[in-house]
Amino acid sequence: MTGLDTPPPFRLAYVPGATPGKWVRIWQERLPAVRLELVPVDAADAAGLLRERGADAGLLRLPVDRTDLSAIPLYTETTVVVVPKDHVVTAADEVAPDDLADEVVFHPLDDVLAWERPPGRPAVERPATTGDAVELVAAGVGLLVVPMSLARLHHRKDLTYRPLTGDGVPASRVALSWREDGTTDLVEQFIGIVRGRTVNSTRGRPATPPEPKAKPTAKAKAKAKAKPRPQPAAKKAGARRGKPRRKG
């Protein structure tokens, strides 16, 4: 296949913590001729990237302005608190916000959780990124609350995490989003994949054009023109069989 014949790739943006791997594998099985290109993007920049046509679709975090973007919520993440392995809260299976009241809890500038009132005591200075905050937690300076996927992304052997539950604890929702004016056949294909549609689903694969009808052969034409044979007349109802009777 020449360069001119190669279709353009399908570009899928994804924010930190999102894991598109399983959907990428299904795409490669169903559409091997179309390369899927992954585009990493910060959570704050994901919607803008789609609007600027830097990607065909994206896995981003809600909320998103749906004035010109469509979005399908996919899942909601568990919110966790990241702590050193020897921290006292590791003795519990779950943690409540009140348990962190005396702790310094970092609130990085790229935080993806919509807090009305963050737990704990605020740090003197907000870390620039979640990665920077994790380094500070490892140094024993404070704690960090993030979606579980980000805790796993920034995993360290000397750190662990516990679910943070209770009133006022926000959760992050991951969604598939794309431009409303960019709902192409390939976007529909990816929507079908993330929604679990099978390859035989009418919305999970390109429409198959109907096969052309076969032209009738000369023999078939001759048969169609042939007149049907006249059928023998039916016998009159009530007619008697056998010899006729004599008169008188």
Side-chain angles (χ1 to χ4, degrees), residues 213-221:
K213 294 182 179 180
K215 294 182 179 180
T217 62
K219 184 176 181 180
K221 288 181 179 179

Side-chain angles (χ1 to χ4, degrees), residues 84-115:
K85 279 193 172 180
D86 59 354
H87 196 279
V88 63
V89 303
T90 59
D93 294 331
E94 293 183 347
V95 182
D98 290 345
D99 297 329
L100 308 179
D102 297 329
E103 303 284 349
V104 172
V105 178
F106 295 114
H107 186 51
L109 296 176
D110 65 352
D111 192 359
V112 297
L113 296 172
W115 289 102

Side-chain angles (χ1 to χ4, degrees), residues 12 14 22 24 56 61-62 76 108 163 165 170 177 185 218 235:
L12 177 68
Y14 68 101
K22 62 180 180 180
V24 172
D56 299 291
R61 295 185 184 276
L62 296 176
T76 300
T165 61
S177 184
D185 289 342
K235 293 182 179 181

